[in-house]
């Protein structure tokens, strides 16, 4: 290669423009097919571009042609390992002359990636005995894969202290904290990665996508990989999704160094689909299903993909308004969620068994059975619940025996295992209760939940759903429900938020907040107190909630549904009792400020209250005051302006066969429904 051309190629590699460098090198090889320099640089670019099979082919040619350069044999074996060709990698590694430390690391990596943890541990012990400084971090990886997250975190911390730390070790430590559900510690480690990346490599454009949609791609450079920024932002998105903050997940993915769509890695594509799903409506569900199916057809993909895809398929089959989605991105037609889920369980059974938690499989199978027969689904869930209960009883016995024997370590381990088993049981129990809830058998829901009281009585999810079942029954057992809702408020926000508590400092004694309480618990607690005549107590709780919501907004935190849902519940209650003037004011506040607060489900509740008001006024059962009518006309006009692009599923009232397509019941956007309601209100006002 000419000197100028060589400098240009090295400049492209230095700047991370590997695709461009590959193109130039392939042109050079057309002119000089046997150029060792060009082949060596091409293999290097393929490897760092993560085109490992191409790198392996190129290094294989170099290794056979230049047997006196053993590095090529080593690089060939490393490329084979990265490509997942483990048997070929072992054979190539066996022929390497010299480099004992590198070969030991490679053999450990091959065994680790192929799932042979015992063989990996043996290779690492030999490496540690030989003084390999990287073996400590590799041992942490083995502990992590074995599920020993605390021990793995300790190993990674020791490796960082011994070697001066790196972005990869900081990320490994963050992942361990995440698996232990210590999200604050994980976020702290991730913040260190992002801060270091921003300071050392400002050219990577952290946050550039958030500030400008036209940010230039930084590509998949070696520099980007060294910083672990992509992994850090993906993990932050996963934490936000786990904590129920999809807006935070979207923000984390947006802050990632900008890349073009075709440059995105499978994990980022996967997390973007999940964040969009959690942040959007039915259209987002269809788009997420499309993206996840595309990833399934183009491995490699994250191991979490299969479980998330099954969950999404089951969610779609339970939604009567969502049939097969629009295209799948490959031009092969629509996706039938039910058929896809059955295909996953049958045709990808080994992958599902390897990557989907076994306790979730009965849930997926019951979900598919439910579309055929609710009785069949109930029988499957009953059987699964029985197996879980037996396991829980064994867990209780194990803990008791360890305590009687005075073995505190065994008791602690048994208690941790019991808590994990309980968390696995809760979804099965709630799915069984959901079947009865959907059938309107609220008393049966109560019975099913109370049968597991010996295990679940302290679990927030169990208390929340039992309270809902008590409220939903005819006559409403509101006193018992109020006690359960209040216990949830104290659990999440602190004892000071209990009945008659002070709570004036805006947070509970445990540092919690009303915004940490499940929104439905807070809303229904206020309803229970109003029905019980405790209006002042309910008003005080609403005032605190209003203050905390305003404080969170002032601090730049994303909005939460707590205050809107509580306003909607209180307003609906007052409308049902005939106090429309106060009730309508509350329900209107549930979708403010517009347009950000215009949620389809809340709008449906607002529209139903407005229809009840108009119905009562049309029957001369109440007098619609001019001031209220004027306020509602202004509100509906604002909703019409804000809701043009917001679709609704099925409308808020029935469509008359053969009726005018402009009637309220047939309108498929919030704007159209608001316009129809405003027209009726204007006609009545005249």
């Amino acid at each position: 290669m000419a000197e100028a051309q060589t400098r240009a190629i090295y400049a492209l590699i230095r700047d991370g423009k590997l695709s461009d460098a590959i193109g130039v090198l392939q042109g050079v090889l057309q002119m000089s097919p046997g150029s060792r320099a060009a082949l060596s640089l091409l293999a290097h670019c393929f490897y760092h571009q993560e085109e490992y099979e191409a790198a392996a082919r190129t290094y294989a040619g170099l290794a056979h042609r230049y047997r006196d350069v053993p590095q090529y044999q080593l690089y060939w074996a490393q490329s084979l390992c990265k490509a997942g060709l483990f048997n070929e990698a072992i054979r190539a590694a066996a022929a390497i002359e010299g480099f004992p430390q590198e070969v030991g690391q490679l053999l450990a990596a091959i065994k680790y990636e192929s799932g042979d943890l015992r063989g990996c541990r043996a290779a690492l012990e030999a490496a540690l005995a030989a003084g390999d400084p990287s073996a400590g971090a590799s041992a942490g990886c083995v502990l992590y894969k074995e599920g020993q997250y605390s021990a793995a975190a300790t190993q990674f911390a020791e490796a960082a202290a011994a070697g001066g730390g790196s972005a990869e070790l900081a990320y490994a430590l963050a992942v361990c904290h995440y698996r232990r559900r210590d999200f604050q510690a994980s976020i702290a480690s991730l913040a260190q990665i992002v801060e270091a990346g921003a300071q050392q490599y400002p050219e990577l454009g952290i946050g550039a996508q958030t500030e400008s949609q036209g940010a230039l791609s930084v590509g998949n450079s070696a520099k980007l990989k060294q910083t672990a920024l992509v992994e850090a932002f993906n993990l932050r998105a996963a934490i936000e999704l786990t904590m129920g903050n999809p807006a935070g997940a979207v923000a984390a993915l947006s802050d990632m160094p900008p890349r073009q769509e075709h440059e995105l890695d499978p994990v980022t594509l996967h997390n973007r689909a999940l964040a969009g799903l959690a942040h959007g409506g039915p259209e987002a569900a269809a788009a997420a299903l499309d993206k996840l199916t595309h990833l399934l057809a183009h491995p490699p993909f994250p191991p979490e993909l299969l479980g998330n895809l099954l969950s999404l398929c089951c969610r779609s089959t339970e939604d009567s308004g969502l049939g097969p989605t629009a295209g799948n991105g490959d031009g092969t037609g629509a996706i039938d969620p039910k058929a896809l889920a059955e295909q996953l369980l049958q045709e990808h059974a080994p992958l599902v068994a390897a990557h989907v938690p076994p306790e979730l499989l009965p849930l997926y199978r019951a979900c598919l059975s439910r579309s055929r027969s609710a009785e069949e689904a109930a029988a499957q869930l009953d059987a699964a619940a029985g197996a879980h209960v037996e396991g829980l009883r064994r867990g209780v016995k194990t803990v008791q025996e360890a305590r009687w024997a005075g073995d505190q370590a065994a008791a602690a381990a048994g208690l941790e295992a019991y808590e994990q088993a309980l968390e696995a049981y809760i979804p099965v129990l709630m799915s069984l209760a959901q079947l009865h809830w959907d059938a309107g058998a609220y008393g049966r829901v109560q019975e099913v939940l109370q049968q597991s009281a010996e295990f679940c009585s302290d679990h927030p999810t169990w208390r929340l759903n039992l309270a809902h079942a008590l409220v939903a029954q005819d006559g409403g057992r509101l006193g018992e429900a109020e006690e359960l809702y209040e216990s949830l408020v104290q659990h999440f926000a602190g004892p000071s938020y209990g009945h008659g508590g002070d709570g004036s400092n805006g947070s509970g004694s445990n540092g919690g907040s009303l915004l940490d309480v499940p929104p439905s618990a807070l809303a229904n607690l206020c309803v229970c107190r109003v029905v019980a005549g405790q209006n002042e107590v309910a008003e005080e709780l609403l005032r605190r909630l209003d203050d905390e919501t305003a404080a969170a907004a002032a601090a730049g935190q994303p909005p939460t549904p707590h205050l809107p849902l509580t306003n909607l519940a209180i307003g609906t209650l007052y409308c049902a009792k005939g106090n429309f003037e106060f009730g309508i004011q509350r329900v209107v506040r549930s979708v403010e400020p517009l347009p950000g607060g215009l949620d389809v489900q809340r709008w449906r509740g607002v529209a139903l209250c407005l229809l009840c008001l108009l119905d009562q006024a049309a029957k001369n059962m109440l007098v619609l005051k001019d001031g209220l009518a004027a306020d509602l006309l202004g509100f509906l006009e604002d909703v019409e302006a804000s809701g043009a692009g917001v679709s609704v599923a099925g409308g808020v009232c029935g469509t008359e066969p053969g009726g005018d397509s402009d009637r309220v019941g047939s309108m498929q956007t919030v704007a159209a429904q608001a316009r129809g309601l405003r027209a009726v209100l204007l006609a009545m006002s005249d």
Side-chain angles (χ1 to χ4, degrees), residues 42 69 86 113 119 254 272 289 304 315 360 376 414 500 570 685:
L42 181 62
V69 184
F86 302 123
E113 294 294 343
S254 178
R272 280 192 173 186
L289 186 60
E304 295 85 358
R315 169 177 167 176
L360 294 180
E376 181 182 351
I570 293 293
S685 299

Side-chain angles (χ1 to χ4, degrees), residues 200-213:
Q200 297 173 21
Y201 304 103
E203 66 274 17
L204 291 179
I206 296 174
Q209 288 185 106
T210 303
E211 298 170 2
S212 171
Q213 293 300 318

Side-chain angles (χ1 to χ4, degrees), residues 290-363:
D290 188 29
K291 292 175 182 176
L292 295 180
T293 306
H294 174 80
L295 278 175
L296 180 68
H298 297 83
F301 47 76
E304 295 85 358
L305 170 69
L306 292 164
N308 288 328
L309 194 49
L310 282 167
S311 296
L312 181 55
C313 288
C314 291
R315 169 177 167 176
S316 299
T317 57
E318 289 178 355
D319 184 353
S320 59
L322 179 62
T325 67
N328 62 12
D330 291 330
T332 55
I335 301 172
D336 182 347
K338 180 175 180 292
L340 177 58
E342 291 178 339
Q343 178 187 355
L344 286 171
L345 291 173
Q346 294 172 7
E347 298 180 14
H348 298 273
L351 282 175
V352 169
H355 298 303
V356 177
E359 64 269 15
L360 294 180
L361 291 177
L363 295 178

Side-chain angles (χ1 to χ4, degrees), residues 34-37 39 61-70 72-73:
S35 171
R36 174 183 168 184
L39 285 168
L62 287 165
H64 290 133
R65 183 175 300 180
Y66 302 100
R67 297 181 183 277
D68 58 328
V69 184
Y72 289 140
Q73 185 78 21

Side-chain angles (χ1 to χ4, degrees), residues 69-102:
V69 184
Q71 288 93 333
Y72 289 140
Q73 185 78 21
L74 174 64
Y75 299 154
W76 177 28
Q78 290 173 337
S79 299
L80 289 169
C81 175
K82 286 288 191 179
L85 303 171
F86 302 123
N87 291 331
E88 293 87 341
I90 290 173
R91 287 196 294 270
I96 298 173
E97 296 179 2
F99 306 103
Q101 183 171 305
E102 289 80 0

Side-chain angles (χ1 to χ4, degrees), residues 446-468:
Q446 178 190 345
E447 292 175 11
V448 167
L449 293 176
Q450 288 182 329
Q451 286 171 0
S452 296
E454 63 176 302
F455 306 112
C456 307
S457 59
D458 290 330
H459 198 286
T461 301
W462 184 87
R463 291 188 171 210
L464 178 65
N465 286 285
L466 178 59
H468 289 343

